[in-house]
Structures are given as structure tokens and as C-alpha cells.
């Protein structure tokens, strides 16, 4: 029978992160993948972090030509429960540019409003839940011609199928999904590459006959490279060599490289798998520490009932335990060359396996570089990866596999704004065979457990990272954490000063000598999100925002002039957020802290994904999972996640 109640319930998913998870402790006699430090000594009072910058963390240097101007008239909060559009300030225009189901190229099937397209059609159409995104310009016309690369994080099953998802019970009473629906969901995940161009009339349009237009999905073959590739932990019955993976999914935020490739980051992948063997799950660090689903079915979609590789229950009779290692093949950075439509995506294992939100580069003039990322779960960590080699703009071949060798670090945000990057390297400190790490592959596959052992600082759901042009100052959004100060291993500290934390904060730091490869840094709070200081709410819900209030910062991006753009993701109908209105895009001055609300989205959506042209005159953002009928706006058409193009009516720079 069909069960129309089967859907991903946001409230239920919130609870998944609340399950206790054992964290390692160095030298303990238990399974090292189930031990953990209980950290002390990091608690700091919030006072003292909201005023002048800390010593050694001076205000950002002004962008060339002076401080970036924020010249638009900000919007009011949008609290209408029926609001079903995107609003921008006077003098600007916004239009849906690329929505779920749009054909990827000329001749591909058109989207059917009744959702009757099958999985083969979906492979030729825009995926669902648009998220991280980057614009890659063509060098001959960088401000008028480029490739737009877009993540498709997940699917809205109630809209993806004509009558919602089908769930039937088999003879044993187990729930089952039909193969045709699961394949459509697999096809709707992944990445889009589309060519875009400004035409002679000044209008941006898609180039439908482009050779570059491409969909990469959860059905696309890709290869594993780096220290973990080919090791026992990545081998399965379907891939005994441990070097070929089918698909990428849960692609949330993004990264890119100075050599022109895109980095798709795999975030909530643990919820797609299930290990029904409770004892095995509890003792297997690569499952338990990452909260791979445990029970009869996976937390998301029930794909394992139609696609055996998502059933990670060990099978002693099958080679390599069947598919028990399949979850180990996700959580990586996936490098995609958008300019090579025939290229095979590569999962770079040297960068570690996480519930990764982004992979943001910082490049020094001499070619030293780092990539920053957050592990987006309550009480997890901020990391960076420093390649062993240097970026060489004059030698593309030398950069081709630069991400295959380097050092993974995890952040410690200590007292007095002092920070340290601790290496996750086999044989250093507690990362030894005694504690369950027999080689570097073990460290990378269980990077969370390694970070536990070296004493990293638990953070409030680290999301996007942005690096300021010019001085390489780094900003991270910590979106919220209602468990902060409520559980022993997530105490209040300087970087996470509120209990409970319902609205999040933005942190920033400067590496010593502005060197991306440094192991010391100085950090401070840029702002606490939340209501006005004089609002009639509990003190823990009040922020330090100078300007327009918001909650739950998520996406962060610096435009070419140095303005910081902030995107939000909260439940706009929830009791603690309803007065914030719908989700927003805001613009901040990183020097003064001034914040202005630039855009409000339709009811029920998240505002995410942001990129623009080098001249700052075209901006794209993503509206994810709108709740009514956006972009049609007629109150009856299925809502569709969509990429939205924003321009200034006079053709000027966005934000001025």
C-alpha cells in the first residue's frame, strides 16, 4: 500500500543529531573508535568578545579603494505566512533562472507539472534542492560568459513523485520502496553544470546546446584517490579494489580550486545507509561515530530496500562483508572539472571523511594554500587541509592531483582568542595502533574519532567558511545548537558562548602571518545572531547584530569588493523563529559589523548557494525547498527549488 506519511520530517531529523555518541579517549582500554575526551579548560565568559577586536586580530583591512559600500535600502522582515516570492530592494530585480526539472540541454525532456517524469528524464533535468554553487568564467569574457555549477543536496519526495513516495509492506511486514522511484531520487541528487551567457540585449541566458551542460548524480561512476583509496576499509563486494564509487549525494556547500575545478562536499550521507546489526554498529567506529542509521531502515528514503549497496549490515558470507564498507566511501570532497564534460569525478580521501559542509580555499601569493571546512553536526569540529605541494598557476599538470597529499588539521579555539590547528597524522600523539589507528587510512576514514583524541573544540554546527579577499581573514558560520551547555561534552566556551544556542553566531580568525599553512591563529566572535538587545525574549536569544536581525547563519560568501553576504536557514514557522520572518540574504560590512537585509525568500524555504561574476554585476542565489508554489507563485503548482538571478536595474554592482 502507499503510505503518504513517508517523508523527511525536519523535526525528526533534528532529533537524529541529538542521539548520544561515544567519543574516544586516548589510552582507554575500550574500542578506540568509541572513546572520547571530555574536554575542560575552554569555557570562557561571553563578555569581552563583543567589543573591540582581540589583540593580534585587528579589523579587516579595507578593500582596495576603501571600505565596501552597502548602499541599498534594506527590506523589512517578511512574516506573511502566504508569502510565495523572492523580494529584493528597490532598484533590483530577481528572476528564477534554473529550477528543479528544467532540461539540462537542448532536446532533454521538459518538466511535467504532475511530476510524471521518470528517472531517465530526471537524469537529463535539473536536480532537486539546489544548494552550494560556483561561477567559473571563460577567460575571454569573464563577466558575460561562464559555467554555473550547482549542488543538488536532497529530494522532496512528496513533490518528486506524482502522488508522493510509495511504501509497501512485504510478506515479512518490512517496508519497501519501488525501484523506479528510488532511481528517480538517485537521479535528482548530485550536481548540475550549465553554460550561461549574457546576450546582446544584456540578458543572462542558458546556452542550451553547450557541450559542457552535464548532470552528475548518485548514479554517476567516480574514482577514489589518495591515502585511503584501495585500502580494506573502502573495499566492498561490488568494488573489491576499493577504487570505484557509484555516485555522490547529500552535496550541501561547496568549494573550488584556483586551478578551476569544483569541489562538491558530501554532508548528511550517514542517513542514507542502515546497519541493522546493533552489536556490529556499536563496535564499528566508521558507523557509530558518524551516526549511520541503526534499526530496520535508513533515516532517509529507504533506498536500501531497492538498492542493496545502501544496506551496510555486514554479510559474513560475502566478500569484504558485502556492503558494510559502503558508507566509508562517502563523506569525501569530490573534485569535478566543469570544463571537461567527459571527465570522471574524483573523491579526494586525503582531505578526510566528514559530514562536510564546504571546502573553501585560501591561497597565499607564493602558492601555499589551505582548504577550510566544517563538520555540520552539533558538537563537531572545524578542520583545514593543507596540501603538501604549492599551487603553480603556470603548470596545470602539477595541480592536477594536488589534493592527494597533505595534512588534515582540526581546530582548537582556546582561551584569550588563541587558536591552534592540531594535525591528524598517523603516529603523531594518540593516533596510533593502540588507539585503533593502524595507518593514515584509518585516520582519514574516522577523522571524527581522530579529532576527538587530539582534543578539538566542539562547535555549534559549523557550516560555511568564507575567506576575505586581500588579507585571507577566515569566517565560519555556526548555525545553532540547542544542546550547547546542556550536555557534558558540549560545554559553553568562548567560541560557543550561549546555552542553549538557538540562533547561532559567526566566528572569524587570522592565521599567524596570514599564512594559510600556519598552525596558530587568533580568533574572535564577529557577531551573535538573534533578536535585538531590547527584545522581549530570553537573554540567550538576544544577538549582537548592528542592524537587521536574523537567525541561524548558514551560507557565507565574500563578493569581489569585500562585502560579506550571509544566508539563513531556520524554521520560519517555529516558535523561536517566527518573528524573524522568512529566510533571508543579508549583507555585512566586515569592518564595522553593520548588517542590512537584502533579500527575503518564500515561506518554508532556505536561502543558500551564492556566487557571482567577477565584476559583481550579476549574483545567483538558491531557493531551496520552498513550501507553497515558488517559482510559479500561483498557489497550486508544485514548489520547485530554483537558482535565482539578481541584477541591479541600472546594471551596477550588487550591494551598492
Amino acid at each position: 500500500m502507499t503510505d503518504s506519511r513517508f517523508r523527511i520530517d525536519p523535526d525528526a531529523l533534528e532529533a537524529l543529531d541529538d542521539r548520544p555518541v561515544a567519543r574516544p579517549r586516548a589510552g582507554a582500554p575500550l574500542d578506540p573508535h568509541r572513546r572520547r575526551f571530555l574536554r575542560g579548560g575552554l569555557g570562557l565568559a561571553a563578555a569581552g568578545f563583543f567589543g573591540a577586536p582581540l589583540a593580534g586580530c585587528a579589523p579587516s583591512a579595507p578593500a582596495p579603494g576603501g571600505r565596501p559600500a552597502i548602499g541599498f535600502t534594506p527590506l523589512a522582515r517578511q512574516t506573511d505566512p502566504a508569502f510565495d516570492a523572492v523580494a529584493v530592494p528597490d532598484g533590483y530585480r530577481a528572476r528564477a533562472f534554473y529550477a528543479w526539472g528544467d532540461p539540462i540541454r537542448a532536446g532533454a525532456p521538459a518538466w511535467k507539472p504532475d511530476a510524471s517524469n521518470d528517472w531517465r528524464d530526471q537524469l537529463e533535468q535539473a536536480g532537486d534542492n539546489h544548494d552550494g554553487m560556483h561561477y567559473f568564467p571563460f577567460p575571454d569574457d569573464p563577466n558575460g560568459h561562464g559555467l554555473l555549477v550547482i549542488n543538488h543536496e536532497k529530494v522532496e519526495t512528496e513533490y518528486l513523485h506524482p502522488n508522493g513516495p510509495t511504501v509497501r509492506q512485504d510478506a515479512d511486514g518490512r517496508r519497501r520502496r519501488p525501484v523506479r522511484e528510488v532511481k528517480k531520487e538517485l537521479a535528482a541528487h548530485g550536481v548540475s553544470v550549465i553554460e550561461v551567457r549574457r546576450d546582446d540585449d544584456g540578458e543572462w541566458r542558458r546556452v542550451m546546446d553547450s557541450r559542457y551542460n552535464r548532470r552528475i548524480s548518485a548514479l554517476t561512476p567516480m574514482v577514489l584517490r589518495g591515502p585511503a583509496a584501495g585500502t580494506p576499509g573502502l573495499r566492498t563486494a561490488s568494488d573489491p579494489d576499493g577504487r570505484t564509487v557509484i555516485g555522490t549525494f547529500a552535496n550541501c556547500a561547496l568549494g573550488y580550486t584556483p586551478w578551476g575545478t569544483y569541489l562538491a562536499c558530501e554532508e548528511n550521507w550517514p542517513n542514507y545507509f542502515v546497519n541493522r546489526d546493533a552489536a556490529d554498529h556499536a563496535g564499528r567506529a566508521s558507523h557509530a561515530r558518524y551516526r549511520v542509521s541503526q534499526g530496520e531502515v535508513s533515516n532517509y528514503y529507504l533506498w536500501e530496500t531497492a538498492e542493496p549497496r545502501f544496506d551496510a549490515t555486514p554479510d559474513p558470507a560475502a566478500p569484504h562483508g558485502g556492503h558494510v564498507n559502503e558508507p566509508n566511501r562517502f563523506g569525501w570532497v569530490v573534485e569535478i572539472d566543469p570544463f571537461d564534460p567527459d571527465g570522471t569525478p574524483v573523491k579526494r580521501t586525503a582531505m578526510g571523511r566528514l559530514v562536510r559542509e564546504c571546502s573553501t580555499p585560501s591561497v597565499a601569493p607564493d602558492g601555499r594554500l589551505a582548504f577550510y571546512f566544517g563538520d555540520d553536526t552539533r558538537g563537531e569540529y572545524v578542520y583545514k587541509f593543507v596540501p603538501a605541494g604549492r599551487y603553480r598557476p603556470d603548470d596545470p599538470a602539477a595541480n592536477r592531483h594536488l589534493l592527494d597529499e597533505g595534512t588534515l588539521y582540526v581546530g582548537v579555539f582556546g582561551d584569550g582568542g588563541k587558536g591552534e590547528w592540531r594535525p591528524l597524522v598517523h603516529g603523531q600523539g594518540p593516533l596510533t595502533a593502540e588507539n585503533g589507528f593502524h595507518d593514515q587510512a584509518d585516520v582519514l576514514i574516522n577523522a571524527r574519532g581522530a579529532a576527538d583524541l587530539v582534543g578539538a573544540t566542539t562547535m555549534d554546527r559549523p557550516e560555511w567558511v568564507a575567506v576575505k579577499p586581500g588579507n585571507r581573514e577566515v569566517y565560519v558560520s555556526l548555525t545553532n545548537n540547542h544542546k550547547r551547555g546542556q550536555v557534558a561534552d558540549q560545554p559553553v566556551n568562548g567560541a560557543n558562548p550561549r546555552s542553549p544556542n538557538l540562533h547561532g553566531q559567526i566566528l572569524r580568525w587570522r592565521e599567524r602571518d596570514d599564512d594559510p599553512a600556519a598552525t596558530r591563529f587568533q580568533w574572535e566572535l564577529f557577531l551573535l545572531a538573534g533578536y535585538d538587545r531590547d527584545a522581549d525574549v530570553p537573554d540567550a536569544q538576544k544577538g549582537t547584530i548592528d542592524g537587521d536581525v536574523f537567525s541561524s547563519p548558514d551560507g557565507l560568501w565574500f563578493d569581489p569588493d569585500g562585502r560579506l553576504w550571509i544566508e539563513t536557514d531556520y524554521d520560519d514557522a517555529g516558535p523561536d523563529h517566527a518573528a524573524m520572518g522568512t529566510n533571508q540574504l543579508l549583507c555585512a560590512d566586515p569592518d564595522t559589523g553593520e548588517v542590512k537585509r537584502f533579500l527575503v525568500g518564500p515561506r518554508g524555504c532556505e536561502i543558500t548557494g551564492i556566487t557571482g561574476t567577477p565584476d559583481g554585476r550579476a549574483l545567483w542565489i538558491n531557493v531551496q525547498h520552498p513550501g507553497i508554489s515558488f517559482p510559479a507563485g500561483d498557489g497550486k503548482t508544485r514548489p520547485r527549488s530554483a537558482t535565482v538571478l539578481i541584477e541591479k536595474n541600472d546594471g551596477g554592482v550588487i550591494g551598492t
Side-chain angles (χ1 to χ4, degrees):
M1 66 177 183
T2 299
D3 182 358
S4 61
R5 296 171 297 173
F6 175 74
R7 61 183 296 273
I8 291 184
D9 180 350
D11 294 333
L13 296 185
E14 287 271 309
L16 296 175
D17 284 342
D18 295 339
R19 294 174 300 171
V21 58
R23 303 183 190 244
R25 185 176 71 254
L30 301 174
D31 176 353
H33 297 289
R34 300 177 60 202
R35 299 174 235 169
R36 178 160 201 178
F37 280 129
L38 287 181
R39 298 167 194 77
L42 292 178
L44 291 172
F49 289 87
F50 308 146
L54 299 173
C57 195
S60 309
R67 177 175 292 149
I70 303 177
F72 58 86
T73 301
L75 298 178
R77 284 174 273 186
Q78 178 51 257
T79 58
D80 180 357
F83 188 70
D84 194 27
V86 166
V88 290
D90 289 343
Y92 290 84
R93 62 185 183 274
R95 63 180 173 95
F97 190 78
Y98 180 65
W100 161 55
D102 283 351
I104 191 70
R105 60 174 62 87
W111 180 70
K112 297 178 181 179
D114 64 356
S116 60
N117 295 100
D118 66 12
W119 68 273
R120 297 174 186 83
D121 291 348
Q122 181 62 75
L123 283 172
E124 294 291 307
Q125 298 171 330
D128 201 359
N129 275 264
H130 301 40
D131 209 309
M133 172 172 55
H134 191 70
Y135 173 81
F136 292 89
F138 284 97
D140 60 337
D141 185 14
N143 296 305
H145 189 198
L147 299 179
L148 202 57
V149 187
I150 304 162
N151 283 349
H152 300 291
E153 181 186 13
K154 55 185 180 179
V155 295
E156 303 301 314
T157 54
E158 60 265 47
Y159 302 125
L160 190 75
H161 307 296
N163 300 304
T166 303
V167 181
R168 294 188 173 91
Q169 290 186 340
D170 64 15
D172 296 325
R174 289 184 175 179
R175 291 182 289 171
R176 299 288 180 185
R177 297 287 316 284
V179 171
R180 68 181 186 282
E181 288 186 1
V182 169
K183 283 192 172 182
K184 186 174 183 182
E185 292 162 21
L186 289 160
H189 282 69
V191 176
S192 286
V193 181
I194 57 173
E195 184 174 348
V196 297
R197 184 192 291 272
R198 193 193 300 270
D199 64 19
D200 293 340
D201 296 326
E203 289 292 323
W204 282 95
R205 303 188 190 281
R206 295 182 51 209
V207 181
M208 297 301 295
D209 60 355
S210 169
R211 64 184 291 265
Y212 299 106
N213 293 343
R214 181 184 185 191
R215 276 297 320 284
I216 295 163
S217 75
L219 295 166
T220 301
M222 43 198 68
V223 298
L224 289 153
R225 285 185 57 96
T231 61
L234 295 186
R235 297 173 189 167
T236 70
S238 299
D239 176 30
D241 293 331
R243 295 183 180 275
T244 304
V245 179
I246 302 301
T248 185
F249 47 82
N251 305 113
C252 195
L254 76 147
Y256 58 91
T257 67
W259 51 92
T261 58
Y262 184 77
L263 304 179
C265 301
E266 298 174 329
E267 189 199 20
N268 285 316
W269 55 269
N271 294 303
Y272 291 73
F273 297 93
V274 63
N275 180 349
R276 292 191 297 274
D277 186 326
D280 181 85
H281 183 280
R284 188 178 295 273
S286 63
H287 288 194
R289 184 61 185 85
Y290 289 80
R291 298 185 177 94
V292 168
S293 309
Q294 202 288 308
E296 277 302 309
V297 295
S298 60
N299 295 327
Y300 284 10
Y301 308 127
L302 281 65
W303 284 355
E304 73 280 0
T305 68
E307 287 280 333
R309 64 190 173 104
F310 292 97
D311 187 348
T313 307
D315 180 356
H320 307 289
H323 302 287
V324 69
N325 288 329
E326 190 69 16
N328 297 355
R329 294 142 65 85
F330 294 85
W332 306 104
V333 169
V334 184
E335 187 172 13
I336 298 167
D337 185 348
F339 294 98
D340 181 4
D342 300 318
T344 301
V346 180
K347 297 196 178 190
R348 302 292 185 182
T349 67
M351 302 178 82
R353 173 176 167 265
L354 304 169
V355 177
R356 192 187 320 266
E357 183 72 25
C358 66
S359 185
T360 304
S362 177
V363 187
D366 64 359
R368 287 174 296 173
L369 72 164
F371 292 84
Y372 298 96
F373 23 86
D375 189 331
D376 183 11
T377 308
R378 295 179 187 88
E380 294 300 338
Y381 309 124
V382 173
Y383 298 78
K384 80 171 179 180
F385 174 75
V386 177
R390 300 192 182 195
Y391 168 55
R392 297 170 61 181
D394 58 344
D395 188 355
N399 304 321
R400 180 174 177 82
H401 296 299
L402 196 56
L403 301 182
D404 277 349
E405 185 179 356
T407 303
L408 179 65
Y409 295 89
V410 68
V412 176
F413 294 79
D415 294 346
K418 295 180 180 179
E420 177 187 356
W421 295 109
R422 294 184 180 171
L424 303 181
V425 176
H426 176 253
Q428 294 190 18
L431 305 183
T432 62
E434 177 190 5
N435 289 315
F437 297 98
H438 298 278
D439 54 24
Q440 187 62 14
D442 283 349
V443 173
L444 297 170
I445 291 171
N446 185 21
R448 278 183 169 180
D452 294 335
L453 286 174
V454 304
T457 304
T458 60
M459 306 295 277
D460 287 343
R461 288 187 57 200
E463 296 259 8
W464 291 46
V465 178
V467 176
K468 190 175 186 295
N471 66 2
R472 296 184 294 283
E473 188 172 78
V474 187
Y475 291 65
V476 64
S477 55
L478 305 172
T479 198
N480 55 49
N481 180 7
H482 67 260
K483 296 179 70 175
R484 176 62 59 184
Q486 310 294 308
V487 294
D489 65 350
Q490 296 178 46
V492 168
N493 56 44
N496 307 273
R498 292 188 292 189
S499 176
N501 182 8
L502 302 182
H503 299 296
Q505 66 264 25
I506 297 175
L507 206 69
R508 65 181 175 187
W509 64 86
R510 293 282 291 272
E511 302 280 14
R512 179 173 288 180
D513 299 324
D514 292 331
D515 178 6
T519 58
R520 302 282 178 173
F521 60 93
Q522 194 77 11
W523 66 268
E524 69 173 359
L525 283 164
F526 176 59
L527 60 77
L528 292 175
Y531 290 100
D532 290 321
R533 296 175 180 86
D534 58 355
D536 185 19
V537 296
D539 287 345
Q541 293 202 43
K542 296 178 181 178
T544 62
I545 299 169
D546 179 12
D548 296 321
V549 298
F550 62 91
S551 177
S552 304
D554 193 333
L556 295 180
W557 180 72
F558 276 103
D559 69 22
D561 290 334
R563 302 175 196 83
L564 177 64
W565 295 84
I566 304 167
E567 298 174 311
T568 69
D569 177 17
Y570 51 83
D571 178 3
D572 59 17
D576 296 312
H577 299 92
M580 289 286 180
T582 60
N583 277 285
Q584 319 168 28
L585 171 66
L586 306 105
C587 188
D589 184 324
D591 301 322
T592 68
E594 178 188 28
V595 177
K596 292 185 178 182
R597 187 178 298 108
F598 178 81
L599 175 150
V600 293
R603 177 63 58 177
C605 83
E606 170 187 346
I607 299 298
T608 185
I610 181 168
T611 191
T613 52
D615 64 2
R617 297 174 188 271
L619 183 72
W620 287 271
I621 61 100
N622 284 323
V623 173
Q624 189 183 94
H625 57 72
I628 303 176
S629 64
F630 181 85
D634 57 10
K636 57 184 180 181
T637 300
R638 290 169 190 262
R640 304 163 70 191
S641 293
T643 299
V644 173
L645 170 65
I646 302 166
E647 296 175 282
K648 205 171 184 183
N649 292 341
D650 64 6
V653 174
I654 308 294
T656 57

